[in-house]
Amino acid sequence: MKATVVIPTKNPGPIFRDVLDRTLEQDCPWPYEVLVVDSGSSDGTVEYASGKPGVRLHEITPEEFGHGRTRNLAASLAEGEFIAFLTHDALPVDCDWLRKIVEAVDQSPDIAGAFGRHIAYPEATPFTKRDLEVHFAGFLNHPPVVSRSLDPERYEADEGWRQFLHFYSDNNSCLRRSVWEQIPYPDVEFAEDQIWAHRVVEAGFAKAYAQDAVVYHSHDYGIFERFQRSFDESNAFRVLFGYRLNRTPYRAFLSIGYVTRRDLAYAWRNRISPFATIKQVLLGIASVTGQMVGSHAARLPGRVRLHLSRDKRLQRSLPVADPG
């Protein structure tokens, strides 16, 4: 079997039916299978997946789920030489998605995995569409295949370069099974994909970006939701990688000024309504503030950390101690 597509699910709602149907419609010159790992859905997901020819369904309890743990389970059940991962709300844009993301890994034996581009759903806000476009356009400024050997001195000295090299997103990715057998996912509640990418890069493997393997995947958050997600991300990056996002009030002030000016200019050029613009400015402030607070989460009482977190399970799993 050339490839396995893995989709972990938990009450994804109607969008999952489109995701599964599009996955089954992929146009590939080799055989592939689809594996759905469900962790307690009650919205008809299990019934829909089990009724689809060509789909293998594996059910686990909610307590058994873990972002790294469940992906390791799925990889152990997969029959493919290459294992592609989608989240249950990431919809392949076309029927060439699987072929393109597998080819990105298959082009060289030293490539451990590849991640593909995300674009916003049509109903997303203009700012959400812009942010995804800008983020993924940045990868076009570098070679599509990168490794630490590309610039060893920069890898040792430049934290930003190391962050770039280990960016990886399991919303839309594919790994080489033989590498996963050597370096499985870590059993963590956050950033299992980026930790895995960091480990394979450290081990000397390369990572690829698949610009043409595209999925729809986007979320429009409320202001406090954005703060919570930024808090969770910043706290997790502090613990897992030692990164400090907007660690000082001065740095946060500069970041807020930058994103506010950028958003106002974009709104003016594109004639976006004042209401949507004001909300975006507040979202930017919430994001930067969440990062600053998250970078100092170890100093907060446990009850406060849980209140500020959107992912309580993540916060309970993170050690409080500052790594340094």
Side-chain angles (χ1 to χ4, degrees):
M1 182 74 68
K2 182 74 169 182
T4 299
V5 180
V6 173
I7 312 175
T9 57
K10 173 70 182 289
N11 290 330
I15 185 59
F16 171 68
R17 299 188 176 205
D18 294 334
V19 172
L20 187 58
D21 290 350
R22 185 68 55 80
T23 303
L24 291 168
E25 295 167 355
Q26 293 299 299
D27 183 12
C28 300
W30 26 255
Y32 71 95
E33 62 171 349
V34 178
L35 173 62
V36 173
V37 181
D38 188 82
S39 54
S41 289
S42 57
D43 63 351
T45 292
V46 169
E47 292 78 8
Y48 190 76
S50 63
K52 282 287 185 179
V55 174
R56 260 200 301 151
L57 174 68
H58 185 84
E59 296 183 69
I60 60 175
T61 65
E63 294 74 24
E64 292 177 282
F65 177 82
H67 288 286
R69 185 187 319 143
T70 299
R71 285 173 172 82
N72 282 334
L73 170 65
S76 72
L77 297 172
E79 297 180 359
E81 176 187 357
F82 298 92
I83 305 170
F85 287 97
L86 290 172
T87 48
H88 60 207
D89 58 350
L91 173 66
V93 167
D94 56 35
C95 293
D96 293 327
W97 161 78
L98 181 58
R99 176 178 58 80
K100 291 173 180 175
I101 201 161
V102 168
E103 287 175 351
V105 185
D106 201 18
Q107 63 183 301
S108 174
D110 67 330
I111 298 175
F115 67 96
R117 183 162 52 106
H118 306 178
I119 62 174
Y121 279 100
E123 63 272 18
T125 70
F127 292 104
T128 297
K129 293 176 180 178
R130 176 209 61 185
D131 289 346
L132 282 173
E133 289 171 3
V134 170
H135 176 74
F136 285 97
F139 293 103
L140 298 178
N141 297 325
H142 303 279
V145 178
V146 295
S147 68
R148 63 181 301 175
S149 63
L150 192 64
D151 191 335
E153 292 183 3
R154 186 179 182 186
Y155 185 82
E156 296 300 327
D158 187 344
E159 181 179 279
W161 179 243
R162 292 196 298 273
Q163 290 182 35
F164 170 80
L165 284 190
H166 75 63
F167 178 83
Y168 194 79
S169 174
D170 270 340
N171 293 310
N172 176 19
S173 70
C174 180
L175 57 75
R176 187 184 299 273
R177 183 189 183 90
S178 60
V179 174
W180 170 82
E181 289 172 347
Q182 300 175 53
I183 308 174
Y185 279 107
D187 186 5
V188 294
E189 295 298 330
F190 182 84
E192 81 292 334
D193 42 9
Q194 297 205 49
I195 297 172
W196 181 80
H198 175 73
R199 290 178 177 176
V200 298
V201 168
E202 283 280 309
F205 291 102
K207 179 198 74 173
Y209 170 52
Q211 165 76 3
D212 296 327
V214 192
V215 299
Y216 289 110
H217 185 259
S218 60
H219 298 282
D220 291 323
Y221 294 109
I223 293 167
F224 187 57
E225 289 176 318
R226 177 66 65 82
F227 173 92
Q228 290 179 304
R229 287 186 62 84
S230 295
F231 173 83
D232 285 337
E233 178 184 71
S234 181
N235 187 24
F237 274 34
R238 174 188 65 85
V239 171
L240 299 173
F241 298 109
Y243 301 154
R244 300 283 198 143
L245 306 180
N246 284 302
R247 64 182 301 170
T248 67
Y250 178 69
R251 179 64 205 168
F253 175 78
L254 292 178
S255 295
I256 287 171
Y258 169 77
V259 298
T260 298
R261 290 192 300 272
R262 178 199 63 186
D263 291 342
L264 290 175
Y266 184 81
W268 177 263
R269 290 195 305 271
N270 292 276
R271 299 181 180 181
I272 297 173
S273 73
F275 176 81
T277 302
I278 291 170
K279 181 180 179 182
Q280 179 63 23
V281 169
L282 294 175
L283 286 169
I285 294 171
S287 181
V288 173
T289 305
Q291 290 176 353
M292 183 184 69
V293 177
S295 72
H296 300 282
R299 301 179 183 179
L300 301 175
R303 286 183 299 175
V304 174
R305 287 198 305 275
L306 286 176
H307 175 70
L308 297 180
S309 172
R310 184 166 173 79
D311 189 337
K312 314 302 183 189
R313 181 170 172 169
L314 165 65
Q315 288 305 320
R316 291 189 178 99
S317 74
L318 289 174
V320 176
D322 198 318

